[in-house]
Amino acid sequence: MELSETSPLFSSVKLGSAELKNRFVMAPMTRSRADAEGIQTPLAATYYAQRATAGLIITEATAVTKQGSGYPVIPGIWNDAQVEAWKPVADAIHEKGGLAYLQIFHTGRIAHSSLVGETPVAPSAVAPNGETMTAAFASEGYELPRALSTEEIPAIAAAFGTAAKNAIAAGFDGVEIHGANGYLIDQFLRDGSNKRTDAYGEDRTKFLKQVLDAVIEAVGSDRVGVRLSPWTPFNSMSDSDLETTFRNAAKALSGRGLAYLHILNGGNDNRPSAEAFALELAEIAGAPLIINAGYDAAAATAAIEKGIAAVAFGVPFLANPDLVNRIEKGAELNAPDFATFYVGGEKGYIDYPELASA
Ligand SMILES: Cc1cc2nc3c(=O)[nH]c(=O)nc-3n(C[C@H](O)[C@H](O)[C@H](O)COP(=O)(O)O)c2cc1C
């Protein structure tokens, strides 16, 4: 018996204005194959179209401004050339019957001045631990970021709105606001990185709310999702009261009619209780829940049975363009090639094999 006969993973679901043909979401994954100007590679059209059997593709994180483009060769969406380069990607996904949201972000302090052309910016002058990549692909320690002035923050929120408009102009079905993994929005949310005493410190969700206002005004709330990662310490994130912080973040999303809330549960091995907290956040936000990190077919099926709307698969989709078909057939999955996650051109990008057709 094939899994499709028994699993709710293969049923359709509506998230905002998008009708997903199944509950498989491709998680956003940076692949570092754009050029130094943030222009997406033509190969991306092939890569994403190969994975268009997902109910929804969420693209790799895409910078809203040069100031927010803190990694080498990641794509941007702030100028016309970048928008033009994304158009064939959205078209190729649609031609294969798929749907796609562009993930938009600002890296904040997770950056190097050689890439962003200025000292990296952050809510507060608190440097992350560890090393990052320069424009010359050298590994260097993080620089001390410059704390943003109160006056310059609204323009960054507005840039998210422009990026969202650009994403729709490029043909995407919506945008995912990247509030996870220690980038600028997450830096504002948590007290380990936000030491401000102005309105953005008194209410650490204020920046998120301004971003939402700008993005919703630009494209409408039913084409907007938000990703948060309460349990993830990645990029030196910390908070003295995580659960309260993320309940507050979920409250900031409520009443807006968002397409979905996407929770990355990584960093907590206790999946059932982490799922329960994610469901609570989605309830507060009043949005359908997409869940992620470490799911296989059985865990994903169980999640849907608990009322989670869809499950995002990262590495499994990276290594298996036909993940949906493989899970349906109970077939083995390809092993991921970690060495080509962020380098390699076509290799490890568009050359993972599909199941031979019977
Ligand atoms: C190569 C790679 C790049 C990633 N880039 C992003 C990204 O751009 N944005 C994001 O929100 N998460 C990113 N992630 C995290 C994934 O979306 C996902 O949360 C992670 O892979 C765990 O899910 P999985 O267990 O299904 O792989 C990335 C993960 C990998 C492996």
Side-chain angles (χ1 to χ4, degrees), residues 127-187:
N129 300 318
E131 302 212 314
T132 190
M133 199 82 94
T134 69
F137 296 93
S139 223
E140 274 187 26
Y142 280 106
E143 298 156 303
L144 184 66
R146 174 177 72 79
L148 286 160
S149 73
T150 308
E151 293 68 36
E152 66 190 316
I153 296 172
I156 301 178
F160 275 83
T162 305
K165 203 185 283 174
N166 289 345
I168 298 300
F172 284 97
D173 301 287
V175 292
E176 179 173 282
I177 297 169
H178 193 351
N181 290 350
Y183 300 107
L184 189 61
I185 293 173
D186 206 12
Q187 289 162 32

Side-chain angles (χ1 to χ4, degrees), residues 34-243:
D35 73 10
E37 304 302 318
I39 310 280
Q40 184 57 288
T41 168
L43 283 181
T46 305
Y47 164 70
Y48 283 114
Q50 286 173 342
R51 289 154 178 80
T53 49
L56 177 67
I57 290 172
I58 304 168
T59 70
E60 65 211 273
T62 300
V64 299
T65 55
K66 181 173 166 71
Q67 183 195 61
S69 188
Y71 292 114
V73 293
I74 61 166
I77 188 79
W78 68 85
N79 66 36
D80 291 345
Q82 294 165 344
V83 172
E84 286 307 310
W86 273 116
K87 281 182 180 169
V89 180
D91 284 349
I93 294 166
H94 289 148
E95 272 163 30
K96 293 278 181 186
L99 293 172
Y101 271 36
L102 188 81
Q103 192 188 51
I104 51 175
F105 82 151
H106 184 301
T107 47
R109 66 182 187 169
I110 303 301
H112 190 268
S113 54
S114 61
L115 290 160
V116 297
E118 59 180 295
T119 300
V121 299
S124 303
V126 180
N129 300 318
E131 302 212 314
T132 190
M133 199 82 94
T134 69
F137 296 93
S139 223
E140 274 187 26
Y142 280 106
E143 298 156 303
L144 184 66
R146 174 177 72 79
L148 286 160
S149 73
T150 308
E151 293 68 36
E152 66 190 316
I153 296 172
I156 301 178
F160 275 83
T162 305
K165 203 185 283 174
N166 289 345
I168 298 300
F172 284 97
D173 301 287
V175 292
E176 179 173 282
I177 297 169
H178 193 351
N181 290 350
Y183 300 107
L184 189 61
I185 293 173
D186 206 12
Q187 289 162 32
F188 269 97
L189 287 177
R190 305 202 203 207
D191 63 10
S193 43
N194 182 348
K195 311 279 186 197
R196 300 179 71 93
T197 53
D198 66 357
Y200 292 93
E202 281 160 20
D203 174 5
R204 298 200 306 275
T205 69
K206 185 176 170 67
F207 179 61
L208 171 62
K209 286 191 270 204
Q210 284 186 331
V211 169
L212 282 163
D213 290 344
V215 171
I216 290 171
E217 195 189 319
V219 303
S221 61
D222 59 354
R223 297 195 281 191
V224 179
V226 174
R227 189 174 217 210
L228 299 173
S229 55
W231 309 108
T232 312
F234 182 61
N235 282 331
S236 303
M237 296 314 289
S238 68
D239 193 272
S240 59
D241 182 358
L242 271 179
E243 297 195 15

